[in-house]
Amino acid sequence: MQLGPLDINFILQILPNLLLGAVMTIKLTFFAIVFGTLIGLFVALAKISGIKILRWLGGLYTWVIRGVPLLLQLMFLYYGLAFAGIVLEEFTVAVIGLSVCGGAYIAEIIRAGILSIDKGQMEAALSMGMTYSQAMRRVILPQAYRRLLPPMGNEFITLMKDSALVSVICMTELMRAAMLLQNATFRPVEIFVTAGLMYLMMTTVFTTIFDRLERRLAISDGD
Amino acid sequence: MQLGPLDINFILQILPNLLLGAVMTIKLTFFAIVFGTLIGLFVALAKISGIKILRWLGGLYTWVIRGVPLLLQLMFLYYGLAFAGIVLEEFTVAVIGLSVCGGAYIAEIIRAGILSIDKGQMEAALSMGMTYSQAMRRVILPQAYRRLLPPMGNEFITLMKDSALVSVICMTELMRAAMLLQNATFRPVEIFVTAGLMYLMMTTVFTTIFDRLERRLAISDGD
Amino acid sequence: MVKAENVRKSFGKLQVLKGVSLEVKQGEVVVIIGPSGSGKSTFLRCINHLESIDSGNVIFDGQPVGFKQLANGKVMPVKGKELCQLRSRIGMVFQRFNLFPHMTALGNVMEGPVTVLGKSKEEARHLAEELLAKVGLADKAESFPSQLSGGQQQRVAIARALAMKPKLMLFDEPTSALDPELVGEVLSVIKNLASEGMTMIIVTHEMGFAREVADRVVFMDEGKIIETGTPEQIFTTPRHPRTREFLSSVLRGYEKVPYPQVG
Amino acid sequence: MVKAENVRKSFGKLQVLKGVSLEVKQGEVVVIIGPSGSGKSTFLRCINHLESIDSGNVIFDGQPVGFKQLANGKVMPVKGKELCQLRSRIGMVFQRFNLFPHMTALGNVMEGPVTVLGKSKEEARHLAEELLAKVGLADKAESFPSQLSGGQQQRVAIARALAMKPKLMLFDEPTSALDPELVGEVLSVIKNLASEGMTMIIVTHEMGFAREVADRVVFMDEGKIIETGTPEQIFTTPRHPRTREFLSSVLRGYEKVPYPQVG
Amino acid sequence: GSAEKEKPAATPEPAKQAEKNTWELVKEKGVLVAGLDDTFAPMGYRDEKTNELIGFDIDMAEELGKRLGVKIQWQPTQWDGVILALDSKRFDVIISGMTVTEERKKSINFSIPYINDGLVMVVKKGTTGFNTAEDLKGKVVGTQAGSSGEEALKKMQGLKETKLYKTFPDAFNDLQIGRIPVVVVDAMTAGHYLSKRPGVFEVVGEQLTKEPMAIGIRKTDVELKEAIDKAIAEMQKDGTLTRISMKWFQKDITTKAE
Ligand SMILES: Nc1ncnc2c1ncn2[C@@H]1O[C@H](COP(=O)(O)OP(=O)(O)OP(=O)(O)O)[C@@H](O)[C@H]1O
Ligand SMILES: Nc1ncnc2c1ncn2[C@@H]1O[C@H](COP(=O)(O)OP(=O)(O)OP(=O)(O)O)[C@@H](O)[C@H]1O
Ligand SMILES: [Mg+2]
Ligand SMILES: [Mg+2]
């Protein structure tokens, strides 16, 4: 069966392999989001905290990570650390690399979100006798949350796409699955078009979920 | 000379090659910024125009480009197009790939910037007898400009780092220069550390310039 | 000068103008009053085609504005250039000033003559300085809008509109975004314009001012013109019950806080 | 109840409080007046340690707040838990309300008892409903702040502060962000509190209200307390020339637009 | 490896056969564009100081060009996509120590071989237990994606995993790190990297395959192949190849004239 330049039978043949890759992409993205958000939250809190050394460390972290290509970071984690005696598995390196990188961006997003909350909110919470962390958890973060959604959604999609880079450390996610297939069959057109559509589908599903979430939050919030 | 695990003499030996790569990185980034901004401007205008088909095309463009990893886009431009008979040079592919990708993000940034300008500004301009394009050029874009600076600065840094990806199509920019050196010398540590520092320097210089620019604009604007 | 014939306009399902006809002669000052949401702003914006109309005609200076109605009742758009040319002869002053924040007061006033009329910077600067002096802001030429009070901003906006040497001026509640103590300076500028014979259509809630400056007062409600007449007639012996009702509710407020004395 | 001794506070080079001492007794209502920038807000914020002080002492209920001055003149921080515990017994109402926008009125009032005092939701809800009723907002329990008028928001803020059963209430210009017609409802709530014997320190520009509710009026200027006295004494026979000057400038406005009658 | 049936590569129909063939075009321009993996030491790679391309293939192609009367223009390419790039006419030939394999023969033509090479097993010095191909069973084996090593490993049964690297140095790095126990690589590449980190690795066991290396040519370019074959045969006879081999490998591993 032929569809323009695409041989549908061939696509069906390679689909299982690509799907396997896509599952790995999703897995990586999921872990990167979870750990990246955790890292981002702590770094953001460090960067707005009153403790100078924490602010400095947070600044150093975001500066370095955002200033160096992820490709290089992955190389460093995979080969560099290993030469220093810390040998990590591909999957571990991939998750750490993506989380650490995503974390730097998420930290900036969360920090901006927190700073956008009126200072009076923190003062009101403190003056009620809340501790700093209670005020963060009960008052500031819930408000920042909604403003964070759109940039976080974008960042998550970026992470999903960046997961394509872990192919350099021999993780077989969707991108590398496509490359390997291409190597075996020398038929780039079907392979890359299919892989591209799969990425597009995944990112679109993601965007849609986030849009929904945003709209739901907007309603539940009384304004 | 030895500095921790780093052999300084060796670093001095490889520096010229890395610098050559860095120059290519800067060249690529420069072209990507220029063309990306042009593309972004036109796509942004298309997406807010009154003409449905333009809006639709603009939407399609940003959706696809932002939904698919740049790595895949580069592969497509390099191999896919070649199969369709359009054989482009590496440099051309690299610049097109980076510009087209950057353009999609810049389009969203510009669009958001334009939409953030009060509707009354456009109305005031039109009611004076300006054409739509005069109003855009004289009234809307100059105002949007300042709000665009911070996100544009970020995007430019992203482009600089993304230029590392064109190593997959054998453009010898900084990232690939590092890889080639490691092939020839088999000494990854010095090479990747130096390359990382060079990236960090370039992105930092960029950030600093943008910060300055922002501050200068803030002053010159009378508020 | 300007003539609206049976103008209709809907936003989605909401019909905002339900057939409005109004003719304004050269040199005449028409004040439009009416409750919020009655379509006053929309009507004003239809006159210089900031809103397109669904049916009807707007004729300015003998030329159809934006859309013209053909014999078969269909409407046809008037082209871009022609439209800009038309708009450049109608000045409009908005409730929220809409000065260009990235230009000085002088730059705001020079912008139209230079960009739209293609005058030299030299010439435009002279004109602009003259006009700023006329609205009492000669010393604020180099200030940016953010450095001016609301009343000063609105006067710059008026100067900006006048710089195009318009044949007709439209004012949409020019003082309603101002602090009470700043209202007077703007109204006095408008009164001077009236006394110089400028043709104007003014939407306002300042009844005292309407009474003083209007040749004719038009009362609009729910997208229709309910009643037209001289200020004396409308304010003292309104014929229509809705007019009476509106005026009594507005004037109750008006008697308590008189509009600032101007001139 | 609360005692400030020689409190000094600088922001960078600017010394905002230049040694302020004030004692407020149980059940007393102290109103602080003074020109803008005189340090009134800063002083209030020092009392519950929203600002740290540079030197001096603040003693609340026998305990030092935030910092205590040692014998050698050095100041030592009071620890986190202790500080929160102290703050929970001092209610503060801000000029800009600072309600939590993501919680209903009821949620705002319940928040403190549940989170800080660890009460059950059940108990907190009962208390909150009672307090909302007390400030006249029983029917607005389920409204979000964005759905309330400024005056209603401020009353919820007062209820929120009362929910902690504070021994002292601090008000920082509680009505200055309100439209004039909404001022009365908030002042009447505060007056009721006063009549119930709540200890309060109130910063306000409403001189009529100050006169009516204060046991003692404190006049601050340039970071110092210039004069203290009963309302009668301060308003009719101020001793210090600066007080006279301030009052005469304020009361000129006050006589023109009397503060709305409350109660 | 992937199990699907290999189909012949989708070679695009050349624009029109009636037009000039590639060899005519090359002669006309005086330039032969050669694709190479410029990370493939010691066949073709970049000198770390001058950034110049050096290696056996570079010297050999220089001689080849002289005999053909054309200049060689090098076009670096990603080895993963080398056949794709040849098919899409990014260059005219592949001169990059390309091993002649059955799989590749399905997609492209080869010149007569100019080097006899073969795959060997490389391990960390002191590792025992790798003597024959059988010993790879149950092991994680590393090699470069798209290399002849990958193709050979694909045919073997019972491997635990074939780990495919972007470049051989990456694979050797992982070997040293200990993530993989063995790398399968052709003998002369192994020689190069062993000399760069002396004492870390060693070649063990028997040579796994005999693999001739040749120049890759599009199936359609019959005339070009003829010309190249003739030139290589000359170089075999007059000792040019042997000379270059001695320079790069200190021994003669070139093919001999039949
Ligand atoms: N762009 C728009 N889209 C949808 N509805 C609109 C739009 N502009 C105006 N309307 C609606 O049209 C009606 C008339 O609006 P208009 O602004 O003309 O009233 P108005 O008489 O000027 O009132 P006001 O005194 O409050 O300015 C209102 O119900 C308004 O909500
Ligand atoms: N966080 C701060 N950083 C720097 N300066 C501050 C800060 N807070 C207040 N100030 C300065 O301290 C001085 C006193 O401020 P404060 O708010 O206490 O005055 P106030 O008497 O409450 O005035 P107002 O009646 O305007 O509220 C002012 O000059 C103000 O600019
Ligand atoms: Mg209106
Ligand atoms: Mg204050």
Side-chain angles (χ1 to χ4, degrees), chain D residues 20-108:
Chain D
V20 176
S21 300
L22 179 70
E23 188 167 356
V24 180
K25 299 241 150 33
Q26 170 94 36
E28 201 180 8
V29 176
V30 172
V31 170
I32 303 179
I33 61 174
S36 184
S38 56
K40 307 183 296 296
S41 298
T42 306
F43 178 58
L44 226 51
R45 295 155 59 81
C46 285
I47 292 178
N48 69 351
H49 195 53
L50 279 179
E51 303 288 0
S52 61
I53 62 181
D54 297 339
S55 73
N57 272 318
V58 177
I59 316 265
F60 169 70
D61 223 7
Q63 276 181 283
V65 176
F67 287 79
K68 46 187 165 187
Q69 194 164 15
L70 301 183
N72 59 4
K74 269 180 129 184
V75 286
M76 286 280 296
V78 166
K79 280 243 233 33
K81 264 266 169 70
E82 212 178 327
L83 177 62
C84 288
Q85 223 270 315
L86 255 163
R87 276 184 185 147
S88 74
R89 285 180 294 145
I90 304 175
M92 180 148 189
V93 175
F94 300 86
Q95 177 178 3
R96 297 195 45 252
F97 329 145
N98 295 342
L99 289 184
F100 304 140
H102 57 303
M103 303 177 186
T104 60
L106 194 72
N108 266 280

Side-chain angles (χ1 to χ4, degrees), chain C residues 51-125:
Chain C
E51 301 287 358
S52 61
I53 61 181
D54 296 340
S55 73
N57 272 317
V58 177
I59 316 265
F60 169 70
D61 223 6
Q63 275 181 283
V65 176
F67 285 80
K68 48 186 163 189
Q69 193 163 20
L70 301 183
N72 59 7
K74 266 180 131 185
V75 286
M76 287 279 296
V78 167
K79 280 241 232 36
K81 265 265 168 72
E82 212 176 328
L83 177 63
C84 288
Q85 223 272 312
L86 255 163
R87 275 184 186 148
S88 73
R89 288 182 293 146
I90 304 175
M92 181 146 187
V93 174
F94 300 86
Q95 178 177 2
R96 296 195 44 250
F97 331 144
N98 296 341
L99 288 184
F100 304 140
H102 57 304
M103 303 177 185
T104 60
L106 195 73
N108 267 278
V109 183
M110 286 169 62
E111 183 60 24
V114 171
T115 304
V116 178
L117 304 180
K119 289 197 182 170
S120 74
K121 290 221 162 172
E122 205 48 20
E123 199 181 345
R125 177 184 302 273

Side-chain angles (χ1 to χ4, degrees), chain B residues 4-81:
Chain B
L6 305 176
D7 175 349
I8 301 294
N9 285 331
F10 177 66
I11 289 183
L12 290 176
Q13 218 175 78
I14 58 171
L15 211 53
N17 264 340
L18 287 179
L19 282 175
L20 233 67
V23 168
M24 179 54 81
T25 293
I26 290 172
K27 222 160 108 183
L28 283 173
T29 310
F30 173 78
F31 281 108
I33 287 175
V34 171
F35 293 118
T37 305
L38 281 176
I39 295 175
L41 182 60
F42 282 108
V43 173
L45 291 176
K47 283 187 85 170
I48 59 170
S49 84
I51 303 161
K52 210 168 174 180
I53 181 83
L54 280 184
R55 281 210 306 275
W56 186 83
L57 281 174
L60 184 69
Y61 169 71
T62 49
W63 174 59
V64 171
I65 298 295
R66 295 169 66 203
V68 175
L70 177 56
L71 213 53
L72 203 61
Q73 291 170 36
L74 288 171
M75 291 300 209
F76 174 78
L77 284 174
Y78 194 66
Y79 295 117
L81 281 190

Side-chain angles (χ1 to χ4, degrees), chain C residues 37 39-42 95 172-173 203:
Chain C
K40 306 182 298 293
S41 295
T42 305
Q95 178 177 2
D172 190 1
E173 307 194 16
V203 173

Side-chain angles (χ1 to χ4, degrees), chain D residues 210-252:
Chain D
R211 207 166 188 163
E212 201 171 330
V213 81
D215 294 319
R216 192 145 49 102
V217 173
V218 172
F219 174 65
M220 273 183 78
D221 193 15
E222 297 193 342
K224 283 190 190 146
I225 292 181
I226 304 291
E227 190 168 352
T228 309
T230 61
E232 285 73 24
Q233 185 218 314
I234 295 278
F235 287 114
T236 54
T237 58
R239 272 167 308 195
H240 203 284
R242 265 198 270 170
T243 317
R244 271 198 295 275
E245 195 185 322
F246 172 73
L247 286 175
S248 75
S249 78
V250 171
L251 291 179
R252 238 182 292 125

